[in-house]
Amino acid sequence: MALSDHEQQLLEQLEKQLRSEDPRFASSIADAPSAGVGGGLSASRVVVGVLGVVVGIAVALGGIWAGIWPLGIVGFVIMVAGGFWALKTDPAAGSAKDDGPGGAPRTPPRGSAPAGGGFMDRMEDRWERRRRGE
């Protein structure tokens, strides 16, 4: 559904305000891959993975019912493998904006720290800001 001109102007104003108030947050949102854009879950992978889970359950239950415990273990392994396969992201569907010229992945210059820091660093910063009342 397309936005009206007025709604587009409001959205642009909100984006500008967000960039001016918190540029770090705005850049992290702009760099985040959007849903449905490459690098996400593939429908065919999910279907195959779910089928693997179902087959694994059937093999495990069959092994337990027949009293063959190694078959139950094999069924469990098939279930886990199917689950991992279903949730694995498709590496071939990478986002084009992550690529530099010529399709090569962009990498930060040597010696530079990651822009947002590590997860724990960000959590510590947020905790300190909360304690200071910011």
Side-chain angles (χ1 to χ4, degrees):
M1 177 186 226
L3 297 175
S4 69
D5 290 336
H6 178 68
E7 291 170 333
Q8 287 178 348
Q9 289 174 352
L10 285 175
L11 182 61
E12 289 172 6
Q13 289 175 353
L14 287 171
E15 288 175 354
K16 287 178 186 176
Q17 183 179 3
L18 175 65
R19 280 190 216 108
S20 67
E21 288 178 2
D22 195 354
R24 188 169 144 192
F25 176 70
S27 67
S28 69
I29 293 227
D31 292 342
S34 40
V37 178
L41 294 176
S42 168
S44 60
R45 266 189 197 275
V46 171
V47 169
V48 170
V50 168
L51 285 175
V53 169
V54 170
V55 168
I57 290 173
V59 170
L61 289 177
I64 292 170
W65 181 73
I68 306 170
W69 63 269
L71 190 59
I73 293 173
V74 169
F76 178 76
V77 169
I78 293 172
M79 284 183 346
V80 170
F84 277 124
W85 182 263
L87 297 177
K88 183 179 176 186
T89 57
D90 192 6
S95 177
K97 73 177 180 181
D98 289 340
D99 294 340
R106 280 190 295 186
T107 56
R110 287 184 175 251
S112 67
F119 174 75
M120 291 305 294
D121 292 335
R122 290 193 309 262
M123 289 297 113
E124 288 174 8
D125 290 342
R126 289 175 69 184
W127 178 255
E128 288 300 320
R129 279 187 268 146
R130 282 185 190 154
R131 291 186 70 201
R132 283 184 262 144
E134 291 180 4

